[in-house]
Amino acid sequence: MRVLCAFPEAMPSSNSRPPACLAPVALFLALLLHLSLSSQAGDRRPLPVDRAPGLKEKTLILLDVSTKNPVRTVNENFLSLQLDPSIIHDGWLDFLSSKRLVTLARGLSPAFLRFGGKRTDFLQFQNLRNPAKSRGGPGPDYYLKNYEDDIVRSDVALDKQKGCKIAQHPDVMLELQREKAAQMHLVLLKEQFSNTYSNLVLTEPNNYRTMHGRAVNGSQLGKDYIQLKSLLQPIRIYSRASLYGPNIGRPRKNVITLLDGFMKVAGNTVDAVTWQHCYIDGRVVKVMDFLKTRLLDTLSDQIRKIQKVVNTYTPGKKIWLEGVVTTSAGGTNNLSDSYAAGFLWLNTLGMLANQGIDVVIRHSFFDHGYNHLVDQNFNPLPDYWLSLLYKRLIGPKVLAVHVAGLQRKPRPGRVIRDKLRIYAHCTNHHNHNYVRGSITLFIINLHRSRKKIKLAGTLRDKLVHQYLLQPYGQEGLKSKSVQLNGQPLVMVDDGTPPRTEAPRPLRVGRTLVIPPVTMGFMWSRMSTALACRYR
């Protein structure tokens, strides 16, 4: 194709216009350039287009809950507490009768209260009173010598307040039971214990070689549990006492071998099989470590390993997670006791109940490193408020959750780890603010963007109360203070049970909006949930 154009012989003047044929030529060249680029891009992917910053937020998640039958039913005391023996070593035992501390403990009732830990293996029980007590100035060994007196006094103080169901735990090495039998009887027969229902447990037998220089295998440990049971049965007040064990550590290969030998011998002797879990072993911890889904999912794998061994010998036997901490070596200051650690704790509660673990005991309620719920000044930390909301809203019946728009398509060799985690339970029937038949969701959003959830199916067009728990203050995720629906949570006074501000009612049919990196509880009014209408 030719393009003909006649140019004038003389140059145009400065105010003359360009020839009329230049416009078609320019259009023709632009067309050729476009066709050339199109032919070269035939095997290429289109260039990404920048999306609006809030586009991801518009992904709508449909949520429904099966309310006909519960998938699990856990213990009424599912969330329970532990006191570490360091309170004796550090001289804090007398403060267990503090009015403020007892008030905080009452807020988490009903619960088991376990006294135990590694240090308990090194405590010596003596049926003697130290003269220092009458002199008014406790000596350095006062708390050790009067341990059995003071802990019972404190336990009874909690029991009178109808706080925690007491579970006394003298942790001893069962391999030395014959040597300590007489000493054990002195403790068990004390008059002060007559009104206390006691349970006995051991601590991490897989670490005996490291702690004591002596090892015990699973079979011998099982025989020692049987012997301990025979020592308890003739004593009237302990004839019906529960025995829990073997309280192993993380279920690695050698630990599973120990558990297998124990279950083969004493599987029917213990009332529940127990183990302990620590999420982070290292001392170097960053705040973002608490948001890693891979870390959150380590617990699920441990549960399956424990259940496999237990169900081999005693199918249906109750399993307890008797001691859970976020980080080892007492935790990390400004991290283990911060808002960020709550993601691990709330996910632990949801995952354990969903997989059928009967009880989880939080280590520690008070004054042990930085994993505690209440600090040394008796101030509740973020995990305490999280536990308080859980106790008041969540019942023992676990419901199945159905979600659409959340799961991604699986790829070979890739594990999908959801950053949005949703659990559902029947609402606590002791909560008189809500009618029976109601359900409560608790949601963890680890995304850096907000998520929108549309209630569907049985939840459609139901009234919802929102309890949104977020950090309070400039520290962000490292904050040790929290706010509920925008209001900071604080103690009213030493004797008043902790209050949680009124929930935020949402309009019927409104989409739930979960802010980024946030936890929350959502109560839904339902009187027709068959699984939740009866205890």
Side-chain angles (χ1 to χ4, degrees):
M1 179 174 63
R2 295 182 181 180
V3 179
L4 302 178
C5 181
F7 291 92
E9 296 181 358
M11 293 295 296
S13 61
S14 58
N15 58 355
S16 63
R17 296 182 179 179
C21 67
L22 289 182
V25 171
L27 181 61
F28 174 73
L29 293 176
L31 180 61
L32 288 178
L33 180 61
H34 175 73
L35 293 175
S36 175
L37 290 176
S38 300
S39 62
Q40 294 176 13
D43 57 347
R44 295 183 183 181
R45 300 177 62 183
L47 294 175
V49 179
D50 293 336
R51 297 182 178 182
L55 190 59
K56 288 185 178 181
E57 302 172 3
K58 296 181 180 180
T59 302
L60 192 63
I61 298 165
L62 298 179
L63 171 64
D64 191 15
V65 174
S66 296
T67 58
K68 187 175 181 179
N69 295 301
V71 294
R72 300 278 190 277
T73 301
V74 297
N75 198 295
E76 287 277 352
N77 299 341
F78 174 71
L79 196 169
S80 292
L81 306 172
Q82 175 171 324
L83 289 174
D84 193 87
S86 63
I87 62 174
I88 298 177
H89 182 272
D90 299 336
W92 284 89
L93 190 59
D94 267 358
F95 287 99
L96 290 180
S97 57
S98 161
K99 183 177 181 181
R100 184 181 180 91
L101 199 60
V102 170
T103 299
L104 289 169
R106 288 175 60 195
L108 299 182
S109 65
F112 293 111
L113 178 62
R114 175 180 185 254
F115 185 87
K118 292 182 180 179
R119 291 191 185 186
T120 320
D121 289 334
F122 301 96
L123 293 180
Q124 297 297 319
F125 296 84
Q126 298 186 21
N127 191 24
L128 299 172
R129 290 185 179 275
N130 194 311
K133 189 169 185 176
S134 60
R135 294 196 303 266
D141 60 342
Y142 159 68
Y143 294 103
L144 285 177
K145 289 184 180 297
N146 293 281
Y147 156 74
E148 66 271 26
D149 298 323
D150 291 340
I151 192 64
V152 171
R153 171 180 53 76
S154 302
D155 285 352
V156 171
L158 287 174
D159 191 42
K160 286 180 179 178
Q161 298 289 342
K162 297 182 180 180
C164 299
K165 183 177 180 181
I166 305 306
Q168 177 66 24
H169 300 268
D171 288 358
V172 295
M173 290 180 60
L174 282 181
E175 58 177 321
L176 302 178
Q177 184 60 44
R178 295 178 182 86
E179 301 173 17
K180 294 191 175 184
Q183 189 178 28
M184 194 68 159
H185 275 290
L186 288 176
V187 177
L188 297 178
L189 292 173
K190 287 186 65 65
E191 182 180 357
Q192 290 90 334
F193 279 8
S194 60
N195 295 323
T196 305
Y197 180 80
S198 297
N199 304 309
L200 300 176
V201 70
L202 295 169
T203 300
E204 294 190 70
N206 50 287
N207 286 332
Y208 279 177
R209 182 181 296 277
T210 302
M211 296 187 296
H212 305 276
R214 300 176 63 181
V216 57
N217 59 40
S219 299
Q220 181 60 48
L221 188 64
K223 294 176 182 177
D224 290 332
Y225 263 79
I226 295 174
Q227 183 182 0
L228 177 59
K229 190 77 171 179
S230 66
L231 287 172
L232 295 173
Q233 286 178 344
I235 305 172
R236 181 178 58 83
I237 58 175
Y238 291 97
S239 59
R240 292 185 298 175
S242 300
L243 184 62
Y244 305 113
N247 207 28
I248 56 175
R250 181 176 298 179
R252 297 185 176 94
K253 184 176 181 180
N254 62 318
V255 179
I256 289 296
T257 301
L258 186 149
L259 178 62
D260 187 87
F262 175 85
M263 293 300 299
K264 187 181 298 183
V265 174
N268 292 316
T269 301
V270 293
D271 295 270
V273 178
T274 62
W275 97 102
Q276 298 187 7
H277 177 64
C278 175
Y279 277 100
I280 305 175
D281 288 333
R283 295 181 179 272
V284 180
V285 184
K286 299 177 181 178
V287 67
M288 297 309 296
D289 291 340
F290 295 98
L291 309 182
K292 293 180 178 179
T293 55
R294 183 180 299 274
L295 180 65
L296 270 64
D297 290 339
T298 57
L299 180 60
S300 180
D301 182 57
Q302 290 194 21
I303 295 172
R304 288 191 292 267
K305 290 180 180 179
I306 298 292
Q307 288 176 332
K308 182 179 179 180
V309 177
V310 172
N311 291 331
T312 299
Y313 297 101
T314 54
K317 175 72 68 174
K318 300 294 185 181
I319 302 176
W320 288 18
L321 178 54
E322 198 165 57
V324 57
V325 295
T326 53
T327 55
S328 62
T332 306
N333 190 22
N334 295 324
L335 287 177
S336 305
D337 50 1
S338 69
Y339 175 85
F343 294 106
L344 281 177
W345 178 226
L346 188 57
N347 184 73
T348 297
L349 295 172
M351 185 175 289
L352 289 172
N354 201 49
Q355 294 189 235
I357 302 304
D358 196 48
V359 172
V360 54
I361 297 181
R362 172 60 187 255
H363 186 210
S364 174
F365 173 61
F366 167 72
D367 188 51
H368 176 67
Y370 303 102
N371 288 312
H372 44 223
L373 300 181
V374 180
D375 66 17
Q376 294 184 358
N377 296 317
F378 308 138
N379 293 318
L381 294 167
D383 277 6
Y384 175 86
W385 295 110
L386 193 61
S387 303
L388 182 67
L389 281 171
Y390 187 95
K391 277 287 188 179
R392 292 184 176 179
L393 293 173
I394 302 299
K397 292 184 179 180
V398 186
L399 305 176
V401 175
H402 304 287
V403 180
L406 176 62
Q407 287 84 0
R408 293 163 290 174
K409 293 183 179 180
R411 297 179 183 178
R414 180 179 178 180
V415 178
I416 296 177
R417 304 185 187 277
D418 293 321
K419 289 188 175 183
L420 183 67
R421 303 188 174 215
I422 305 173
Y423 301 96
H425 284 238
C426 294
T427 303
N428 188 347
H429 56 81
H430 293 297
N431 191 327
H432 301 298
N433 294 326
Y434 296 129
V435 297
R436 288 196 178 184
S438 303
I439 69 170
T440 301
L441 310 168
F442 55 102
I443 303 172
I444 303 170
N445 183 17
L446 298 174
H447 290 275
R448 297 191 180 187
S449 60
R450 63 176 183 170
K451 293 298 174 182
K452 294 184 177 182
I453 301 174
K454 185 70 174 178
L455 301 181
T458 57
L459 301 180
R460 183 185 291 117
D461 298 331
K462 296 294 189 297
L463 177 66
V464 174
H465 284 180
Q466 177 179 270
Y467 297 82
L468 209 57
L469 203 64
Q470 295 176 290
Y472 179 73
Q474 299 180 351
E475 297 86 354
L477 294 178
K478 291 186 178 182
S479 176
K480 296 182 182 180
S481 301
V482 292
Q483 56 182 335
L484 182 63
N485 295 332
Q487 298 296 322
L489 292 174
V490 294
M491 284 282 288
V492 178
D493 55 55
D494 291 350
T496 304
R499 294 179 181 176
T500 52
E501 297 298 327
R504 179 182 298 163
L506 303 180
R507 187 181 68 252
V508 173
R510 178 178 174 180
T511 300
L512 305 181
V513 179
I514 311 301
V517 197
T518 301
M519 297 169 282
F521 294 82
M522 305 290 170
W523 170 84
S524 177
R525 180 177 182 135
M526 293 184 62
S527 58
T528 57
L530 295 178
C532 305
R533 294 182 66 180
Y534 307 100
R535 295 182 60 176

